[in-house]
């Protein structure tokens, strides 16, 4: 497939790895924020290609994982109602709430469906005017224009049986929080290429300046990620703290103006709780008041549902790179992808689940090291 | 976060006020909304996320990156194996 | 066969499953939840040596004749899909379960659980397809059953088929026979069936020319066994895909399995669908492919035998069995490093991130 296969060539990966090894004169700690990039790193074993001193920390960039427990509980409450068709992106079904997950709601007779696109949810609402079709609107900036468009279109078409349970999150406030922590270890950031495709990288320039940290906007294929590591190592070795764009085939500095415009018309910034981390000011999007008729949280009166996260989980430290998944006493024992106890074990993009799925064979070696 | 996949636009249409395109991904075709990429035309590659094109792939930039990466590959071949292998 | 008294330490209780007390779709996905259900509920409940082999078929010695016996239920939506339908699938699935034991399939049963209101014309088409598939495979449907359930209690139609075949002398295939050094052969491109079905699913639809690979594999198997008796084990990677099949073999043989990602054939359409939906073809279902674990010295001759058969034209050696990391499947990825290929808990879900 064009624009995919060529970025997975072994020769290119090896030569990038060789250059990284030559360029790095001392240990560095980098973070990829985005779960899709974590997935690529684990799926292809890219961290095995990096020199021993170079550490990749897997950040909190999986919207499925960071959706707060209480929001999952709210979704479950809505999905359990007999008059509701609850529609979600696939990987959200497995995410455990306090007691249930959406799979179990479906097993108990709930009308829970998986779609690929929010437009498919809209089509369900058109075809089933007698039912309340609720879409679980989660995601980062990348997904926000699509979800915004679905709500916008529902209003335009007068689809009053379509609503959205919104739990959108924004990346830069999370990076700011990570960098503000006195325990921060991360010296360079791999910025999420598809988020930046939508919103551009101006906000990242402020982060690079305020915290004197190099940032490289990166793509999602093995060669993209290795090249971005090389670019970050070069900046760190040369004591530069710029924002560079590795993913120029998709990302422009200003982002996608039409998409940003749609986000602004439908959503407004709010504080948002992140599972495993806590509330981050200004890190979320919610529907504007003028779209209240399509706001499932208001329509179903579930805003009051709250939940406490299990105390055993060390996910906050894992997601900040302070601990590795394997440092957790319950990793792979009480906490597995079948029975996740915390956010990073929930979706295959989560740091713990990715470790569990792809890296278990290297765990003893790491524990010895 | 945010799986987006490059695909080629093979035709376009208007429906319910939305610009839609059929986009081909390695042998399968799916409809995608093109409202956010007004500049994209038939034959262009776009990055598609949850049924929405979020950018037109810049062919020149893609070429440039790839040429650079391939030249690194050649260079590494001449330089031999790296000093330390993990 | 006589019931041997079981040693005390192998006594087991059918303990209730943990976690929720509800059957989930994932329990039927062929992944870890399915395996847990079999291990924790069914195996202890029905414990016997034939079942304990945990193969796709039971091998039963009766008066010197070795019979292969298997059963399978078919619950596919949509009932008709590119490349097949529930009728042909019900024949192929059961014939293949027999063939994976090296057996010559002979007789099938067919039981129909029909939802009230199913158009008669639909039923007739399914039965005609089942008849044709059985004739093509050289098996006879010799017994059957019909039940009708109330509207809403079924999904159009479910079919169960059981099958009996005879295992030739000298053939003893089982998932516990893999040995370090053995080669892993795959009969063709993976993921066709799962993607052909997925393309029809409401909410996920896409246009594709992918057809299900649904096919009866017993003549391919006969050709392979004709080329060499050094075949240790055969599996058809249905639900749960290549990953589940190889994890089961690794577990039952106590060996490691090492795959080479570049050697695994995947059609461009299947790759496209997997990229788009964030799926891994290793977990996608097949209905006309097989995996063979073959002694290293016999690998080339078995491979040539496979390639001579139309259903094995794209066969490839995709990996080997190793003594390292027992009970684990690993894969050398296209960019070089190695990763684990785990069994999934339940169904693979389309992902957005």
């Amino acid at each position: 497939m064009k624009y995919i296969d060529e970025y997975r060539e072994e020769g290119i990966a090896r030569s990038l790895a060789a250059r990284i090894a030559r360029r790095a004169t001392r240990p560095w700690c980098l973070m990829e924020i985005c779960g899709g990039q974590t997935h690529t790193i684990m799926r292809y074993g890219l961290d095995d290609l990096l020199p021993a001193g170079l550490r990749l920390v897997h950040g909190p960039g999986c919207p499925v994982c960071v959706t707060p427990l209480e929001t999952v509980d709210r979704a479950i409450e809505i999905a359990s109602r007999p008059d509701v068709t609850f529609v979600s992106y696939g990987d959200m079904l497995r995410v455990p709430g306090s007691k249930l997950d959406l799979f179990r709601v479906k097993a108990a007779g709930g009308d829970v469906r998986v779609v690929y696109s929010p437009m498919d949810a809209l089509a369900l609402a058109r075809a089933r005017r007698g039912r309340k079709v609720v879409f679980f609107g989660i995601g980062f900036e990348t997904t926000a224009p699509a979800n915004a468009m679905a709500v916008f279109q529902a209003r335009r078409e007068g689809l009053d049986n379509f609503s959205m349970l919104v739990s959108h999150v924004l990346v830069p406030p999370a990076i700011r929080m990570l960098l503000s922590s006195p325990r921060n270890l991360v010296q360079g950031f791999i910025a999420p290429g598809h988020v930046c495709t939508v919103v551009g990288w101006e906000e990242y320039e402020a982060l690079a300046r305020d915290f004197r940290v190099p940032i490289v906007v990166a793509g999602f294929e093995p060669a993209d990620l290795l090249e971005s590591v090389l670019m970050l190592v070069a900046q760190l070795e040369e004591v530069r703290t710029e924002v560079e764009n590795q993913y120029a085939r998709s990302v422009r500095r200003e982002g996608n103006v039409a998409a940003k415009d749609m986000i602004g018309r439908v959503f407004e910034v709010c504080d948002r709780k992140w599972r495993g981390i806590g509330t981050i000011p200004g890190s979320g999007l919610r529907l504007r008041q003028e779209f209240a008729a399509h706001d499932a949280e208001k329509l179903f009166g579930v805003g009051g549902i709250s939940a406490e996260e299990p105390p055993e989980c060390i996910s906050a430290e894992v997601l900040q790179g302070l601990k590795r998944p394997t440092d957790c006493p319950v990793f792979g024992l009480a906490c597995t992808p079948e029975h996740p106890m915390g956010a990073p074990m929930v979706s295959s993009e989560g740091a713990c689940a990715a470790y569990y799925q792809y890296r278990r064979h290297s765990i003893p070696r790491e524990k010895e090291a | 976060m945010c799986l987006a996949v490059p695909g080629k636009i093979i035709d376009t249409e208007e429906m319910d006020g939305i610009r839609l395109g059929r986009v081909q991904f390695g042998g399968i075709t799916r409809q995608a909304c093109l409202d956010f990429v007004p500049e994209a035309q038939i034959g262009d590659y776009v990055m598609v996320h949850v049924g929405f094109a979020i950018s037109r792939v810049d062919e020149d930039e893609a070429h440039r990156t790839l040429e650079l990466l391939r030249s690194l590959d050649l260079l590494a071949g001449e330089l031999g194996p790296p000093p330390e292998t993990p | 066969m006589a019931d041997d008294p079981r040693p005390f330490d192998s006594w087991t209780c059918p303990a209730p499953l943990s976690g929720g007390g509800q059957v989930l779709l994932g329990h039927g996905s062929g992944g870890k939840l399915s395996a847990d259900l079999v291990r924790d509920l069914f195996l202890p409940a029905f414990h016997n040596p034939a079942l304990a082999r945990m193969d796709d078929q039971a091998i039963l010695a009766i008066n010197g004749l070795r019979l292969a016996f298997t059963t399978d239920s078919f619950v596919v939506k949509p009932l008709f899909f590119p490349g097949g339908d529930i009728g042909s699938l019900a024949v192929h699935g059961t014939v293949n379960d027999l063939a994976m034991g090296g057996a010559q399939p002979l007789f099938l049963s067919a039981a129909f659980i029909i939802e009230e209101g199913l158009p008669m014309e639909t039923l007739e088409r399914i039965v005609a397809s089942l008849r044709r598939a059985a004739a093509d495979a050289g098996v006879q449907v010799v017994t059957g059953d019909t039940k009708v359930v109330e509207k809403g209690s079924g999904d159009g139609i479910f079919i169960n088929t059981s099958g009996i075949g005879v295992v030739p002398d000298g053939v003893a295939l089982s998932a516990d026979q893999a040995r370090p050094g053995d080669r892993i052969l795959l009969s063709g491109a993976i993921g066709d069936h799962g993607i052909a079905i997925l393309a029809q699913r409401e909410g996920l639809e896409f246009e594709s020319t992918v057809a299900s690979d649904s096919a009866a594999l017993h003549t391919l198997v006969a050709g392979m066994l004709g080329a060499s008796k050094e075949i240790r084990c055969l599996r058809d990677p249905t639900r749960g895909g290549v990953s589940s099949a190889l994890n089961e073999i690794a577990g039952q043989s106590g060996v490691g399995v090492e795959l080479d990602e570049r050697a695994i054939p995947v059609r461009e359409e299947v790759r496209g669908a997997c990229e788009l939906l964030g799926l891994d073809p290793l977990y996608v279902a097949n209905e006309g492919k097989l995996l063979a674990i073959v002694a290293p010295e016999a690998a080339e001759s078995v491979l040539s035998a496979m390639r001579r058969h139309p259903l094995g034209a794209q066969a490839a050696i995709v990996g080997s069995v190793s003594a390292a990391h027992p009970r684990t499947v690993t894969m050398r990825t296209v960019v070089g490093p190695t990763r684990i290929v785990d069994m999934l808990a339940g169904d693979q879900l389309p992902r957005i991130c």
Side-chain angles (χ1 to χ4, degrees):
Chain A
M1 289 173 70
K2 196 174 173 187
Y3 300 123
I4 291 184
D5 294 340
E6 52 274 44
Y7 298 93
R8 294 181 187 170
E9 286 173 21
E10 181 171 2
I12 290 177
R14 289 209 175 276
S15 64
L16 280 167
R19 292 187 75 100
I20 293 166
R22 269 191 218 95
R23 201 73 183 77
T25 61
R26 54 199 186 97
W28 297 111
C29 180
L30 311 178
M31 175 181 274
E32 86 283 357
I33 288 284
C34 171
Q37 290 170 335
T38 304
H39 189 86
T40 303
I41 290 164
M42 295 297 169
R43 163 84 178 67
Y44 295 96
L46 299 184
D47 44 352
D48 270 1
L49 292 173
L50 299 178
L54 194 70
R55 194 176 150 204
L56 288 180
V57 175
H58 315 304
C62 163
V64 173
C65 301
V66 302
T67 298
L69 194 55
E70 58 200 29
T71 306
V72 180
D73 285 348
R74 289 169 192 176
I76 287 166
E77 170 73 22
I78 296 171
S80 304
R81 293 183 45 152
D83 54 344
V84 166
T85 296
F86 195 84
V87 188
S88 171
Y89 297 122
D91 40 4
M92 205 63 217
L93 261 57
R94 211 173 346 247
V95 179
S98 300
K99 293 194 194 76
L100 296 171
D101 56 35
L102 287 165
F103 263 130
R104 282 166 213 273
V105 173
K106 184 172 156 66
D111 185 5
V112 178
R113 294 159 191 250
V114 171
V115 290
Y116 164 71
S117 166
M119 297 312 256
D120 302 328
L122 213 54
L124 278 169
R126 275 188 212 109
R128 292 170 178 71
R129 293 305 296 263
R131 290 188 64 77
K132 293 173 178 153
V133 174
V134 183
F135 184 71
F136 203 171
I138 62 149
F140 282 85
E141 291 91 327
T142 318
T143 319
N147 289 349
M149 174 75 111
V151 175
F152 189 81
Q153 188 68 15
R155 190 178 68 166
R156 186 153 73 181
E157 291 181 34
L159 285 172
D160 51 9
N161 64 329
F162 178 87
S163 63
M164 192 174 285
L165 180 65
V166 178
S167 185
H168 261 284
V169 281
L170 301 170
V171 176
I175 298 184
R176 192 165 284 276
M177 186 217 67
L178 290 168
L179 286 170
S180 307
S181 163
R183 294 158 77 197
N184 172 53
L185 303 168
V186 179
Q187 296 159 299
F189 276 93
I190 299 173
H194 292 145
V195 164
C196 293
T197 294
V198 170
V199 292
W201 70 74
E202 283 163 88
E203 269 193 88
Y204 293 78
E205 288 171 334
L207 289 168
R209 194 180 55 235
D210 294 353
F211 295 96
R212 293 184 195 168
V213 61
I215 299 177
V216 172
V217 179
F220 290 72
E221 295 301 330
D224 291 325
L225 285 161
L226 290 168
E227 190 185 24
S228 67
V229 168
L230 179 60
M231 290 163 79
L232 279 174
V233 168
Q235 284 207 44
L236 287 163
E237 294 283 343
E238 293 161 15
V239 202
R240 288 186 289 123
T241 58
E242 299 159 21
V243 177
E244 293 178 298
N245 181 19
Q246 182 276 333
Y247 201 30
R249 65 185 186 276
S250 179
V251 183
R252 339 272 181 251
R253 183 171 181 277
E254 69 283 5
N256 182 323
V257 177
K260 282 201 288 193
D261 183 51
M262 180 54 76
I263 297 175
R265 284 160 93 165
V266 176
F267 292 129
E268 63 189 9
V269 173
C270 64
D271 297 346
R272 177 77 70 203
K273 203 169 172 180
W274 295 46
R275 190 170 191 158
I277 294 178
T279 300
I280 305 177
S283 70
L285 294 175
R286 65 177 174 215
L287 286 170
R288 288 186 179 280
Q289 185 55 37
E290 59 193 285
F291 291 95
H294 300 283
D295 189 336
E297 193 173 304
K298 292 182 176 140
L299 292 177
F300 294 92
V302 293
I305 295 175
S306 67
E308 287 299 315
E309 289 176 24
E312 299 91 335
C313 183
I314 62 163
S315 56
E317 283 139 307
V318 170
L319 295 175
Q320 292 178 66
L322 300 170
K323 287 191 176 161
R324 292 184 198 221
T326 47
D327 296 333
C328 178
V330 293
F331 174 82
L333 301 168
C335 184
T336 62
E338 295 93 89
H339 298 283
M341 296 184 68
M345 189 59 98
V346 163
S347 155
S348 63
E349 288 70 37
C352 295
Y355 248 71
Y356 184 86
Q357 190 175 348
Y358 294 134
R359 308 295 300 162
R360 257 175 307 154
H361 67 298
S362 60
I363 290 165
R365 195 192 64 192
E366 283 183 11
K367 280 206 166 150
E368 282 160 26
Chain B
M1 77 195 92
C2 318
L3 184 77
V5 183
K8 186 180 184 176
I9 301 176
I10 52 176
D11 60 34
T12 63
E13 59 171 334
E14 287 282 317
M15 214 165 75
D16 301 323
I18 300 175
R19 183 169 174 245
L20 298 169
R22 284 171 68 230
V23 183
Q24 198 170 25
F25 306 91
I28 67 154
T29 305
R30 208 199 190 274
Q31 201 174 55
C33 171
L34 302 179
D35 268 9
F36 302 139
V37 287
E39 74 279 18
Q41 301 302 322
I42 291 172
D44 285 345
Y45 276 78
V46 285
M47 298 301 299
V48 175
H49 171 70
V50 299
F52 287 75
I54 53 171
S55 69
R56 185 176 69 83
V57 178
D58 187 326
E59 202 149 351
D60 296 339
E61 284 291 352
H63 257 290
R64 210 187 45 76
T65 312
L66 210 60
E67 288 307 307
L68 184 71
L69 291 173
R70 292 229 167 90
S71 69
L72 288 179
D73 190 11
L74 288 175
L75 205 57
E78 285 158 23
L79 291 170
E84 49 163 332
T85 40
Chain C
M1 106 196 49
D3 266 342
D4 295 322
R6 287 151 51 199
F8 175 75
D9 58 5
S10 80
W11 286 11
T12 46
C13 288
L17 287 171
S18 59
Q22 243 175 6
V23 175
L24 304 177
L25 273 177
H27 284 115
S29 69
K32 259 187 213 158
L33 285 174
S34 305
D36 289 352
L37 192 65
V38 170
R39 190 196 58 220
D40 298 338
L41 184 64
F42 297 131
L43 267 186
F46 307 120
H47 188 94
N48 63 62
L51 182 63
R53 275 176 60 242
M54 292 279 285
D55 281 317
D56 291 340
Q57 70 303 118
I59 305 290
L60 310 166
I62 298 172
N63 296 336
L65 193 64
R66 284 190 309 149
L67 289 182
F69 178 43
T70 191
T71 189
D72 205 339
S73 298
F74 298 85
V75 290
V76 64
K77 193 159 73 174
L79 298 174
F80 300 87
F81 47 84
D85 56 66
I86 191 169
S88 54
L89 193 62
V91 171
H92 296 154
T94 293
V95 163
N96 290 347
D97 281 349
L98 294 173
M100 295 309 116
Q104 170 64 41
L106 296 173
F107 301 108
L108 297 188
S109 72
F112 301 86
I113 299 167
I114 307 164
E115 186 185 10
E116 177 188 22
L118 182 79
M120 194 54 84
E121 183 263 335
T122 304
L123 183 59
E124 286 163 2
R125 276 174 69 198
I126 291 168
V127 170
S129 164
L130 196 153
R131 184 187 58 78
R132 225 175 9 253
D136 290 348
V139 294
Q140 282 180 297
V141 178
V142 292
T143 182
D145 181 48
T146 310
K147 294 282 184 298
V148 177
V149 296
E150 275 177 53
K151 185 138 191 86
S153 305
D155 217 345
I157 183 168
F158 303 143
I159 301 178
N160 171 277
T161 51
S162 295
I164 285 185
V166 174
V167 185
D169 285 340
V171 173
L173 305 172
S174 184
D176 62 5
Q177 295 298 308
R179 298 287 170 265
D182 288 352
R183 299 290 185 268
I184 299 161
L185 280 57
L186 173 64
S187 66
I190 60 169
D192 295 3
H193 178 75
I195 294 301
I197 298 288
L198 198 64
Q200 315 278 323
R201 275 257 297 272
E202 185 183 28
L204 295 173
E205 305 99 327
F206 49 84
E207 298 167 43
S208 90
T209 53
V210 188
S212 167
D213 57 349
S214 178
L217 294 167
H218 59 299
T219 56
L220 173 63
V221 171
M224 293 164 67
L225 288 169
S228 170
K229 292 281 181 269
E230 295 301 309
I231 300 174
R232 321 271 200 211
C233 159
L234 298 175
R235 271 283 155 111
D236 56 338
T238 54
R239 292 167 317 163
V242 165
S243 152
S244 278
L246 288 177
N247 271 288
E248 284 166 16
I249 292 169
Q252 285 171 50
S253 294
V255 295
V257 165
E258 295 174 350
L259 290 173
D260 180 356
E261 185 169 22
R262 287 173 306 184
I264 300 171
V266 184
R267 241 177 263 290
E268 195 69 359
E269 294 92 330
V270 172
R271 271 205 59 203
C274 285
E275 293 289 344
L276 186 66
L277 299 173
L279 306 175
D280 186 335
L282 288 174
Y283 299 99
V284 180
N286 310 275
E287 291 293 346
K289 296 294 173 327
L290 64 78
L291 284 159
I293 311 290
V294 179
E297 61 276 12
E300 283 303 329
S301 65
V302 174
L303 183 66
S304 330
M306 290 168 86
R307 287 185 174 160
R308 281 195 296 273
H309 193 285
L311 293 175
Q314 274 192 288
I317 297 179
V318 296
S320 57
V321 176
S322 124
H325 53 79
R327 290 169 233 286
T328 308
V329 179
T330 59
M331 180 166 79
R332 186 186 188 278
T333 69
V334 283
V335 296
T338 297
R339 68 153 163 115
I340 284 186
V341 177
D342 202 6
M343 210 161 169
L344 287 189
D347 283 305
Q348 204 175 197
L349 295 169
R351 59 190 180 93
I352 62 161
C353 45

